[in-house]
Amino acid sequence: MQDFFAELFGAKAASSPIEPYPYQKKVAELLMQSRNLVLTAPTGAGKTWAALSPFLYARKQKRDFADRVIYCLPLRTLASSLYESTKDAIKGQQVTSTLQMGNQPNDPLFQGDVIFTTIDQLLSAYIGLPFGTSKAAANIPAGALIGAYVVIDEFHLLSYTEALPTFLDMMKRLHPYTRFLLMTATSPEPVVSALVKHLDGMSVKLQTEELEKLSTRTRSLYWRDKRMSGQDIANRHQGGRTLVIVNEVKRAQSLYFELTSILENEGRAIEVRVLHSRMFPTHREDVESWVLKAFSRDSEKEAILIATQVVEAGLDISATLLLTDLCPANALLQRVGRCARFAGQEGTVEVYSLRKGGVEHFLPYVSRQGKKEENDDYQVMLRTERALKELESGTILTHELEKQLIETVHGEIDRKRIELVMHDLFLREDQISRALIRGDADMGELVRAIDNVSMIIHHSPDEVDLHRKPEMVSMGRRGLYFFLSGLEWTKEEWENNRLIFVPRFPDAQDISARVTWEPIQSPKEVLAHMTVLLSPKLAKYHAVVGLQLQKASLNCAEADERVSEFLESGEKASIQRFSYQRETYLEHVQDVRARNREQSGKYLQATNFLSRRFRMTPEQIEEIADLATALHDVGKLGVEVQRKMRRWQTEYKQKEELELLAHTDFDGTNPEERDAYRTGNYRPPHHAVEGAVALQEWCGKTFDRKIAVPILLAIMRHHNAYSKESEAIVFCKGAREHVRKSLQGLPYEPFLKPQSIRHRLDELVSWLRNNDVLALYWYLSRRLRLADRASQQVKNEKNNGKEETDVMLS
């Protein structure tokens, strides 16, 4: 694999050989043997390339491995940074990498070869509430998990109450169909052992000689029994690159102003930046780009960065001096990993107390609520503080000392936590099964307790159009509530001031209708909204330190500060709407089948996994995918569907029509056509569930239930991932012959059974509790829906360049 590493990093093996670490080779070998792994390696040990190299190498060698990599990180900053630092090397291997995050939704359906994303994005797709696309399209990104290689970096940051149990359920449910690699630098042994057992996998750790190679870097650790101040930063910074990490945004902002004032008074010209979550995305990206350059491996720049936990893990940066607030030991070692990160470097780490006047300030790790002495997080902070105080000043951090610190602080507590998670895992399995069946997943329970609100800063709500994507700043919902409560306004003042607004979305089906803004009448109203608009009189945005809430005088002039800018012009922000050209039923089915076959290479490993699980050949699985595609629109052969489509063509479009159709001529950009189409005269009834009901008897007689059910589910949900109710349907003359012709090349002769009553397919949907049914359903749905979309997108690009989702006219 040495030559491959040399090529990967742009080096010539003959002149500058790059030898992978033994553990990296072992990871590749075990993954190639279809083993799931838990990798424990120190920060800066090359875990990223240990994870990516097996996939890239298998692609180059045309070996079976995975259809795609879904590389998940706990924070957006880390996902973005890793994407930027690896994309050139990945592109050199003729592989496509993409970035999928809430603020950069570039690949919502997970169609790249290597997808960098957050754990929130992955788990939300798994439970059926994908962040990046509509709920109706939920079965498309979920299908990407089948045949995938899922990497979870820094898994120790997964919440024991929300994300970790959901991820454990995913591993168990998808074990036969998906490869998993979990990586950590700071998880205690009891947790690693429990995960290895749950995965039925193996643990990989670095050997002594590998650790010794990494030990050529030196970090000295000091405990400071005081709160960090701006003066401390100014005194301790003596050139090079100083990284300051504090636990709260407000503290980072105040330290910046204090420090810059001191430096100015001392006549020291040093570039100081701030990085945290309460910044406009464009500003945050600029700062992140600056950080990656200023704190790079070979940088000689003098700089100071004051940051929060957003730089805690994954960023490939190196400081000469790290000044940090006290934090849990596992988080501390992640912060330490940003100091003297590379071999041969030397650095100093100073940890500052959070006590003032004998009172500890452990936010956000320990809330103000409840008895803190009984709180595990409080005990973790106390244990970390105690362990650091016991170390000799200037202690050299070794891998053994880091391991000892983790086990001392987290070992017992995390052992109890993981045991409780494993004990109650059957409850999470039931929660997720019900969510997949009903479509009522609770993001707060299953992924992350979302307590953030997106804030728009603007002086005029009437000018704010959400379609134009105004810049937003994220902030804790409770923090905003407490700030507004602190204004102490009377009821009359709330009615008259009109400085805080929430959106009111229109009831109309036309999504182009404007959102209106209404002033709130009390602080409690912000607790029920995801988006809030604040006047610049209350929310000042500073170009360097980001959002600052202020109790400004209401009589002052409008604040001369930056407000939210719009990311898209009015023209770009207009809704793109799907337009159709007339297409016969047979033309459409044949084209979608062709698109599906063209994309079969993207599902090779998923097909192989399914064939082994169902004891079929890959060719038979392909045949089932082709069959589902060929039959997906049989509901359109109903009398009422064809009558409405023909009426549209002949009456509205004034065109003679004699064929059975799949689509009519339709200009989605024309408001008059949209309005006319919505009337009862022209809009066809639904067809997806109706088609599945008509095929149910034939499918049940032809296939085993574990195959019949996924076929029917894929057909009934090829427009909406949660459809399950059908109307009565009678088929038109010639329907049987059209079905026969549409199945050309397939050895099946299905019959359609008319339905005189409505059906609710709860029993069919309940089969999603079966893991094999779920996997095959996701696989068939993804293939069918992406082929259907591809067919329409190609036609729209040829005709008028318009694009929209496949549910627009469903």
Side-chain angles (χ1 to χ4, degrees), residues 93-253:
Q93 298 301 311
Q94 308 302 310
V95 171
T96 302
S97 63
T98 60
L99 180 63
Q100 172 57 32
M101 303 190 301
N103 62 334
Q104 289 180 280
N106 301 327
D107 191 8
L109 302 181
F110 294 165
Q111 292 180 278
D113 297 315
V114 180
I115 304 116
F116 291 98
T117 189
T118 61
I119 292 170
D120 284 1
Q121 292 273 338
L122 172 73
L123 296 183
S124 68
Y126 171 62
I127 65 173
L129 289 177
F131 285 150
T133 188
S134 66
K135 184 178 177 180
N139 48 9
I140 306 178
L145 295 169
I146 310 303
Y149 165 43
V150 175
V151 179
I152 302 291
D153 203 351
E154 310 298 355
F155 69 77
H156 65 276
L157 293 176
L158 272 67
S159 162
Y160 280 95
T161 54
E162 293 110 17
L164 182 59
T166 298
F167 181 65
L168 293 176
D169 180 81
M170 175 195 289
M171 290 192 293
K172 179 181 179 182
R173 203 180 294 256
L174 299 183
H175 183 273
Y177 307 104
T178 310
R179 301 181 194 274
F180 292 97
L181 170 63
L182 281 65
M183 305 195 296
T184 184
T186 56
S187 199
E189 182 58 37
V191 176
V192 172
S193 298
L195 292 178
V196 169
K197 183 178 180 181
H198 182 76
L199 265 175
D200 189 23
M202 294 182 64
S203 173
V204 176
K205 299 178 182 179
L206 275 67
Q207 300 300 312
T208 303
E209 57 271 20
E210 293 177 280
L211 292 172
E212 288 176 352
K213 286 184 180 180
L214 294 172
S215 297
T216 58
R217 59 193 177 196
T218 304
R219 301 176 181 127
S220 304
L221 179 64
Y222 296 85
W223 169 255
R224 303 299 185 198
D225 205 12
K226 58 183 289 192
R227 291 265 290 181
M228 188 196 312
S229 68
Q231 191 64 61
D232 291 320
I233 302 172
N235 292 343
R236 293 298 300 122
H237 177 81
Q238 299 297 322
R241 292 156 305 286
T242 295
L243 174 60
V244 180
I245 305 180
V246 295
N247 298 341
E248 296 182 89
V249 172
K250 190 173 181 179
R251 183 159 156 70
Q253 293 171 329

Side-chain angles (χ1 to χ4, degrees), residues 96 107 134 144 251 535 671 682 742 764 803:
T96 302
D107 191 8
S134 66
R251 183 159 156 70
S535 164
Y682 298 122
S742 68
L764 194 68
E803 280 187 34

Side-chain angles (χ1 to χ4, degrees), residues 490-554:
T490 64
K491 182 179 179 181
E492 289 73 21
E493 285 176 321
W494 275 102
E495 291 176 353
N496 297 330
N497 290 335
R498 298 173 64 88
L499 298 178
I500 309 104
F501 297 80
V502 292
R504 299 297 181 195
F505 295 92
D507 294 330
Q509 295 295 314
D510 186 359
I511 60 174
S512 65
R514 286 285 298 270
V515 174
T516 57
W517 296 91
E518 295 185 5
I520 65 173
Q521 303 299 313
S522 74
K524 287 185 178 180
E525 287 190 50
V526 302
L527 299 177
H529 291 272
M530 299 294 292
T531 305
V532 176
L533 186 149
L534 264 69
S535 164
K537 288 183 177 181
L538 294 177
K540 180 172 68 173
Y541 190 89
H542 188 280
V544 178
V545 303
L547 175 72
Q548 293 176 286
L549 299 181
Q550 56 184 6
K551 298 180 183 179
S553 169
L554 299 180

Side-chain angles (χ1 to χ4, degrees), residues 457-499:
I457 305 169
H458 210 278
H459 49 76
S460 177
D462 293 338
E463 297 178 13
V464 177
D465 181 359
L466 290 182
H467 286 133
R468 296 178 61 194
K469 297 184 179 178
E471 292 178 312
M472 300 186 190
V473 181
S474 180
M475 180 180 176
R477 192 188 312 275
R478 290 280 173 184
L480 178 59
Y481 167 74
F482 288 129
F483 166 74
L484 295 178
S485 299
L487 296 174
E488 298 181 344
W489 290 350
T490 64
K491 182 179 179 181
E492 289 73 21
E493 285 176 321
W494 275 102
E495 291 176 353
N496 297 330
N497 290 335
R498 298 173 64 88
L499 298 178

Side-chain angles (χ1 to χ4, degrees), residues 422-435:
M422 293 298 183
H423 181 267
D424 293 340
L425 199 56
F426 74 98
L427 297 175
R428 181 55 51 94
E429 180 182 0
D430 185 61
Q431 274 183 296
I432 293 174
S433 293
R434 284 188 283 111

